[in-house]
Amino acid sequence: MNNRVFSFFGEKKEILLKRWKEDFFEAFKEAKPFFLREVDAFQNPFAYRIEEIFQEILNSIDPDFSWERLNPYLERLGQILAVYFSSAREGMGVFLSLKGILREFFGEEILERFGVEGLLKIEDLINSLMLVTFDFYLKYREKLFEIKYQEWKRNNYLLLKRAGLVYDPMEGMPPMGKET
């Protein structure tokens, strides 16, 4: 790996973090000012968690990259994206946003100092992060659908039971209508 490009990336983390959070919270229009202003773990756990995850992702883009260290954060991000974004396009847009910010603010400088290869190395790593997070996103979307399905089944069963249309072996046969 070209360590110099990752060192350069590390120098720009604060600017990237600030812009990345702004882009992410754009999806939460009315709450965006609150999310950006308040990052306390108790007063705003959502913004706190997002900042923690984004910081760890940015910190991991270095010569000593480790999937083992980063996977728990990517899984947590996948969980959050699965709950708050109903489409994968919206959820994975988080990483496309990071690539856009990188190009907008530092693309020319990276190209001048490290060439196309340097920019592609960072973008390839961001793509890999996106794919791993996508797997987690799908895992948690499936869990959400399973929970919704089980709730739907339970609600329908209760409705049918109240209407006397379901046989419950614990309660015996439902009463039959009066015959004349």
Side-chain angles (χ1 to χ4, degrees), residues 50-131:
I50 291 297
E51 179 156 337
E52 175 188 42
I53 292 167
F54 284 8
Q55 275 182 341
E56 192 57 37
I57 289 171
L58 294 175
N59 288 338
S60 74
I61 300 177
D62 66 12
D64 301 323
F65 180 82
S66 165
W67 284 108
E68 291 80 31
R69 185 182 95 202
L70 190 58
N71 267 344
Y73 293 95
L74 295 177
E75 183 169 7
R76 195 172 299 146
L77 180 59
Q79 245 178 338
I80 290 170
L81 297 175
V83 170
Y84 288 101
F85 297 102
S86 59
S87 78
R89 182 185 71 237
E90 293 173 326
M92 295 306 107
V94 166
F95 291 98
L96 298 176
S97 169
L98 177 60
K99 284 172 48 174
I101 294 165
L102 184 68
R103 283 183 179 184
E104 179 183 347
F105 288 93
F106 308 110
E108 288 182 26
E109 188 175 353
I110 291 172
L111 288 173
E112 287 174 11
R113 291 177 62 181
F114 308 105
V116 173
E117 186 178 303
L119 182 62
L120 291 177
K121 281 188 183 294
I122 290 178
E123 287 193 352
D124 285 347
L125 182 55
I126 293 171
N127 288 340
S128 297
L129 297 172
M130 179 171 53
L131 290 173

